[in-house]
Amino acid sequence: MSRLDVRVKTRLPASVYFLSGVDQREETVTVNELSLSGALIEGLSFEIKEPITISPKFPNLGKIELFAEVVRANNSRAAVRFYYPDRTIIPMLWDYLLEALSSQEGCPYCGHNNGAGGKSCGKCGNYLDFKDAAYLDRHFVNTFTARIKGRQNRLESEHLQRIISFIDTELLNIQGQSPDREFVGTSPALLDVFSMIRKVARTDMSVLILGESGTGKELTAAAIHERSERKRKPFIAVNCAAIPEGLLEAELFGYEKGAFTGAYATKLGKFEIADGGTLFLDEIGDLSPGLQAKLLRFLEDRTVEKVGAKSGRKVDVRIVAATNCDLNGMIEKGSFRHDLFFRLNAFTIKLPPLRERGEDPVLLAKYFLKKIGLAGKSSLKGFSEAALRAIREYSWPGNVRELINKVRRGAVMAGGEFIEPCDMELDRQTITIGKEPTTFSDKVSEAKKDLVLEALATSNFVIARAARVLRISRPSLYALMKKYEIKLPSQ
Ligand SMILES: Nc1ncnc2c1ncn2[C@@H]1O[C@H](COP(=O)(O)OP(=O)(O)OP(=O)(O)O)[C@@H](O)[C@H]1O
Ligand SMILES: [Mg+2]
């Protein structure tokens, strides 16, 4: 079997630093084998369990400090694995390895002697053109894939989550994603969605996202944008249901000065603002017939016409639309244009409801609890077994959005070390009574309670701060907390 990494034989002296109690100690060792992922060293005088720093004395290079841990040790010999807090060090190490490789015979992966020829090893098939500038990237992808294959059976959902985020940040180079845009889930249904996002992101196709309320439609649209060539250009979201019909046209397409009373200056529409980027049209089912026609025209000739303008202007915008309406039913009733549906439907992503995502609700609950933070509640350790069971069994009609609210509620309401089902209103009693608000005033109370809980959680339960967030007085906040039976955490 071939190795996963290019390893060279060497005799490099190196210093190893590690903490012993509170003292920093140093040992001089010899690096016998070196690769990008680790080394074999000799000369350690005793067993080290703590992380170490290795600084090999490279003949022609500056000082490099490699963070590592000992993975195997036998007498004075040890195998260590490197960690790279940042990747700037890798090219330096690679320079050394490249030089050492030039005087080494045989494939550095499997030892096969390939003679003079070929860019790939005749035996193990690994790519061997070390001078290729893209070699390192290629190498990382290959070793990463090989490692995954080797460990497939031992992976747990949390590992998968880490792998997905590694693919995004390291391989697809999606940097600086807002933490609010993290996509959590490892159920087969959601992995299918990830795979569709990746496939369609790099194209310029219009995408239609379907899914129940709170399933992550906007998150999906943003994920498509972030993974596309347009990622450095704007991602503009417009909720077609939230803007009154009369204003939506001006909002989307802009207007010319004097187009109507009150149009004192020319206004850019969202299409123009999103030029080069992505326009996310949420709740597309609420678009009026007039605007449906205008959107269709845009999809046909990529031109937008401001209200009151005599001619159109070309804009380069990718359309991602979403709805939780039954568009087919609307087409049958004649309230949604078939031709527009046909254009938007070039690629459809159907988001599965949370109840069909296996263990994801538990993963999401733990994720959001960590994100909300246990600050202000030093005693809170997580969810009780009963709470985890309740999270698994609940049907989540409001999907991820509802789950976030319940976790937030649980974090605020928990009195002990663990969040219990009743803290999240997931106990049988509250569920069977039917806590999902149905009347308008129930919905308003529920929304108010959620706002108070959110303000408290994000303000570390400091009343004055939470009141400021809500822009109400402290007494009003106390009154609301009393009304909704919200108690401050016992520290
Ligand atoms: N898989 C997920 N991982 C992490 N967060 C998620 C996930 N899915 C949704 N969310 C979060 O849940 C919330 C609701 O998601 P989003 O707004 O994208 O849903 P939606 O389908 O657009 O909802 P609505 O129909 O109510 O507009 C957001 O805060 C989003 O970041
Ligand atoms: Mg939405």
Side-chain angles (χ1 to χ4, degrees):
M1 207 176 89
S2 71
R3 286 186 180 131
L4 291 178
D5 217 349
V6 175
R7 196 183 294 192
V8 298
K9 295 225 179 289
T10 174
R11 293 292 298 169
L12 269 177
S15 298
V16 167
Y17 307 94
F18 55 97
L19 278 180
S20 166
V22 288
D23 300 323
Q24 167 149 312
R25 296 192 41 169
E26 182 180 346
E27 295 238 86
T28 304
V29 297
T30 307
V31 178
N32 286 338
E33 288 191 22
L34 184 67
S35 74
L36 286 177
S37 57
L40 287 179
I41 58 176
E42 189 172 359
L44 280 181
S45 60
F46 64 92
E47 199 185 338
I48 305 176
K49 294 216 166 59
E50 291 73 24
I52 58 174
T53 306
I54 304 183
S55 184
K57 299 197 173 33
F58 292 116
N60 304 319
L61 296 172
K63 187 170 171 176
I64 292 182
E65 292 200 325
L66 295 153
F67 296 103
E69 71 171 354
V70 176
V71 285
R72 257 188 338 273
N74 187 1
N75 299 326
S76 66
R77 290 165 184 231
V80 301
R81 181 192 300 140
F82 298 148
Y83 288 97
Y84 297 102
D86 72 79
R87 300 194 129 216
T88 51
I89 225 162
I90 295 179
M92 294 202 258
L93 187 54
W94 183 238
D95 278 347
Y96 174 79
L97 291 172
L98 264 185
E99 208 177 307
L101 276 171
S102 60
S103 58
Q104 188 169 298
E105 282 187 3
C107 166
Y109 291 97
C110 69
H112 178 69
N113 197 338
N114 285 293
K119 290 198 169 182
S120 298
C121 173
K123 189 171 172 205
C124 67
N126 275 306
Y127 186 57
L128 299 180
D129 187 1
F130 303 121
K131 298 253 160 19
D132 178 353
Y135 179 84
L136 265 191
D137 288 341
R138 203 163 162 165
H139 167 79
F140 283 127
V141 174
N142 289 345
T143 50
F144 177 73
T145 322
R147 282 201 177 100
I148 297 286
K149 277 193 187 141
R151 292 181 191 173
Q152 226 158 4
N153 299 333
R154 284 181 282 140
L155 289 175
E156 288 178 9
S157 58
E158 278 167 43
H159 296 133
L160 273 171
Q161 191 58 48
R162 264 190 260 156
I163 291 164
I164 289 165
S165 94
F166 176 84
I167 293 174
D168 284 347
T169 54
E170 302 291 326
L171 303 185
L172 297 180
N173 203 18
I174 299 163
Q175 303 289 352
Q177 275 224 40
S178 135
D180 288 346
R181 298 227 171 134
E182 267 176 290
F183 228 125
V184 177
T186 54
S187 58
L190 202 68
L191 292 181
D192 276 353
V193 169
F194 289 156
S195 135
M196 284 198 265
I197 291 175
R198 292 206 168 83
K199 271 190 205 135
V200 79
R202 307 234 153 181
T203 74
D204 255 346
M205 281 165 111
S206 301
V207 182
L208 180 62
I209 304 169
L210 303 174
E212 290 177 12
S213 165
T215 42
K217 295 188 289 298
E218 181 151 356
L219 192 65
T220 304
I224 292 173
H225 176 75
E226 306 267 5
R227 287 160 181 75
S228 74
E229 301 287 324
R230 298 170 175 267
K231 67 181 175 197
R232 291 185 214 295
K233 292 293 171 78
F235 171 78
I236 304 287
V238 179
N239 185 337
C240 302
I243 302 173
E245 196 187 316
L247 298 181
L248 188 57
E249 180 174 8
E251 194 63 26
L252 286 175
F253 295 92
Y255 52 77
E256 289 292 347
K257 185 175 171 183
F260 46 81
T261 325
Y264 299 117
T266 299
K267 177 185 154 88
L268 284 182
K270 298 287 191 205
F271 274 89
E272 289 165 292
I273 297 173
D275 202 0
T278 307
L279 181 62
F280 173 52
L281 296 174
D282 202 0
E283 313 286 2
I284 191 88
D286 285 67
L287 220 54
S288 68
L291 282 178
Q292 287 182 32
K294 227 170 152 171
L295 176 60
L296 180 65
R297 226 170 305 137
F298 167 78
L299 291 170
E300 277 163 358
D301 63 10
R302 301 281 149 183
T303 306
V304 286
E305 210 167 283
K306 281 195 166 69
V307 179
K310 297 205 175 52
S311 60
R313 180 193 148 193
K314 278 243 177 262
V315 287
D316 168 27
V317 168
R318 178 195 208 163
I319 299 291
V320 178
T323 183
N324 60 7
C325 296
D326 167 21
L327 286 184
N328 280 314
M330 290 180 69
I331 292 168
E332 270 171 32
K333 277 196 252 140
S335 53
F336 200 85
R337 295 181 67 124
H338 181 261
D339 41 8
L340 177 59
F341 176 72
F342 192 68
R343 285 261 169 194
L344 291 172
N345 203 20
F347 194 98
T348 303
I349 297 180
K350 188 153 181 359
L351 293 177
L354 197 49
R355 62 185 167 281
E356 289 173 13
R357 295 192 203 169
E359 192 65 4
D360 281 4
V362 167
L363 206 63
L364 280 159
K366 289 182 179 168
Y367 167 79
F368 287 118
L369 183 62
K370 209 161 158 192
K371 214 168 130 191
I372 293 165
L374 305 178
K377 281 211 165 184
S378 47
S379 54
L380 188 55
K381 296 214 172 84
F383 297 95
S384 72
E385 279 306 315
L388 292 177
R389 227 174 9 254
I391 290 171
R392 280 189 191 100
E393 283 167 8
Y394 185 56
S395 65
W396 300 109
N399 296 295
V400 185
R401 195 188 298 288
E402 184 188 8
L403 183 134
I404 298 174
N405 287 338
K406 292 245 191 284
V407 170
R408 195 175 278 140
R409 190 171 295 206
V412 178
M413 297 301 223
E417 290 189 334
F418 295 99
I419 297 175
E420 297 295 340
C422 59
D423 300 324
M424 293 183 289
E425 298 188 348
L426 277 182
D427 46 331
R428 204 153 288 286
Q429 205 184 358
T430 49
I431 293 174
T432 48
I433 290 169
K435 265 286 164 180
E436 274 309 298
T438 46
T439 65
F440 178 68
S441 70
D442 280 352
K443 282 187 178 172
V444 172
S445 308
E446 194 74 1
K448 276 193 192 165
K449 184 171 178 181
D450 283 343
L451 281 176
V452 173
L453 287 167
E454 182 174 351
L456 283 169
T458 52
S459 310
N460 272 353
F461 310 100
V462 178
I463 296 287
R465 214 183 289 163
R468 249 195 325 274
V469 170
L470 292 166
R471 300 200 186 169
I472 58 174
S473 66
R474 274 190 288 171
S476 309
L477 178 54
Y478 276 120
L480 284 171
M481 287 168 62
K482 190 160 174 228
K483 181 170 172 193
Y484 298 124
E485 298 173 0
I486 300 173
K487 292 190 194 69
L488 282 184
S490 40
Q491 304 284 325

